Amino acid sequence: MMRAAADQMIKTFSNTTGVCKRLEGRVAIVTASTQGIGFSIAKRLAQEGAKVMISSRKEDNVNKAVQQLVKEGLQVSGVVCHVGKQEDRKKLLDETKSKYGGLDILVSNAAVNPTVGPVLDTSEDVWDKIFDINVKSTYLLMKEARPLLKQGKSPSIIIVSSIAGYQPFDLLGVYSLSKTALIALCKSTYEDLARDGIRVNCIAPGVIKTKFSQAMYQSESIEEATKSRIAMGRLGLPDEMGGIASFLASDDASYITGETIIASGGMASRL
């Protein structure tokens, strides 16, 4: 019965005929958006009418993602961007302004987790890499995009955090810390950004069935153990995160800022 429900959920989120057009006339950037949650967010924003700039570190991945979405009749372009490089972030913003005339929605989704293990067993190099990509690049992109967003239509920033930011995963110690820091970044900037008319919110996904999180479901026994921690008894789908992002970017969320939406199927979520 649970598998049948999950199959029906996949069919539901594959059917886009009922998607509304809340984001007509808006321009969006989504980082790390060629697969997984980022791709689903980019797709949903475009389905709702936004013009979307896809980005990722690898040109082949960018081209494939753009081609797939263009075939679906969506308004998307792409640019190679390593968010840890200042010149790449500048190119991303410049290309978006040149192609679409401005920026209304910034989704910071890029993240890495090059190792597993407890916090105090993590090397300094790995610590630096995780915080540079997951936290510092988000902060810098927000800062660098601010002048464009200030001129945008109902501008909004969406930071993709994680349930691990609330309830650290044992083997993802430093990654969990970085995701907690993103929640704090949202809380530390929303008042300042509100003075420019910019909203900023977080999404904290639970265990979503993507390549990035495959260690959580790589075998039947591991998947069952993971599901046992989820009240709804199933893993999340990337397109379910896309729907939350489109809501936060839309005027339906016009009075929401500085908040985090937890989408975890009912996993524990307390600091």
Side-chain angles (χ1 to χ4, degrees):
M1 183 178 294
M2 192 68 69
R3 184 177 295 276
D7 289 344
Q8 180 58 44
M9 191 71 68
I10 291 171
K11 291 179 181 178
T12 298
F13 284 101
S14 297
N15 181 1
T16 63
T17 57
V19 173
C20 58
K21 297 291 184 180
R22 293 180 291 190
L23 304 176
E24 288 278 12
R26 313 265 177 105
V27 175
I29 285 174
V30 186
T31 63
S33 50
T34 58
Q35 59 184 352
I37 290 173
F39 180 79
S40 287
I41 289 175
K43 179 176 67 174
R44 181 58 181 264
L45 298 182
Q47 287 171 344
E48 294 211 19
K51 299 172 183 176
V52 181
M53 186 63 77
I54 299 284
S55 67
S56 182
R57 291 181 298 122
K58 297 181 179 179
E59 186 173 7
D60 284 348
N61 291 347
V62 171
N63 291 338
K64 288 176 183 176
V66 170
Q67 289 169 10
Q68 181 176 338
L69 296 180
V70 167
K71 285 181 180 178
E72 296 181 22
L74 303 176
Q75 296 186 80
V76 300
S77 295
V79 63
V80 174
C81 178
H82 185 309
V83 294
K85 297 180 179 179
Q86 191 275 336
E87 63 270 23
D88 279 15
R89 296 193 305 271
K90 183 178 187 302
K91 182 181 178 182
L92 175 62
L93 293 168
D94 288 347
E95 289 279 338
T96 302
K97 183 178 181 181
S98 175
K99 178 75 176 181
Y100 295 130
L103 180 64
D104 308 292
I105 302 161
L106 173 65
V107 181
S108 182
N109 175 63
V112 296
N113 184 50
T115 190
V116 295
V119 172
L120 297 180
D121 289 346
T122 302
S123 70
E124 183 178 356
D125 287 347
V126 169
W127 173 285
D128 287 345
K129 182 173 183 178
I130 290 174
F131 269 81
D132 278 351
I133 300 302
N134 297 11
V135 183
K136 185 179 178 181
S137 68
T138 296
Y139 151 72
L140 289 172
L141 192 56
M142 289 169 63
K143 186 174 183 177
E144 292 157 0
R146 188 177 188 178
L148 266 183
L149 286 167
K150 285 171 65 174
Q151 302 170 38
K153 181 180 179 181
S154 301
S156 173
I157 298 171
I158 299 167
I159 301 169
V160 179
S161 179
S162 170
I163 187 68
Y166 285 91
Q167 195 71 31
F169 292 170
D170 293 341
L171 294 179
L172 304 178
V174 179
Y175 173 84
S176 298
L177 270 170
S178 74
K179 293 299 185 174
T180 303
L182 289 176
I183 296 168
L185 178 61
C186 177
K187 284 293 186 184
S188 299
T189 58
Y190 79 91
E191 289 186 280
D192 187 26
L193 289 169
R195 287 188 274 273
D196 291 331
I198 303 169
R199 295 182 299 107
V200 56
N201 293 289
C202 282
I203 302 172
V207 183
I208 309 302
K209 202 158 190 177
T210 65
K211 182 179 179 181
F212 189 85
S213 65
Q214 62 186 0
M216 305 293 287
Y217 62 89
Q218 61 187 354
S219 70
E220 186 174 347
S221 60
I222 293 175
E223 182 171 351
E224 289 307 310
T226 299
K227 288 178 179 178
S228 71
R229 300 171 60 187
I230 303 171
M232 292 179 68
R234 67 172 178 86
L235 306 184
L237 302 172
D239 284 357
E240 292 178 282
M241 303 304 105
I244 297 167
S246 65
F247 162 70
L248 285 174
S250 76
D251 288 341
D252 287 340
S254 60
Y255 202 50
I256 300 175
T257 194
E259 301 298 341
T260 300
I261 292 182
I262 299 168
S264 67
M267 292 184 75
S269 56
R270 293 290 181 271
L271 283 172

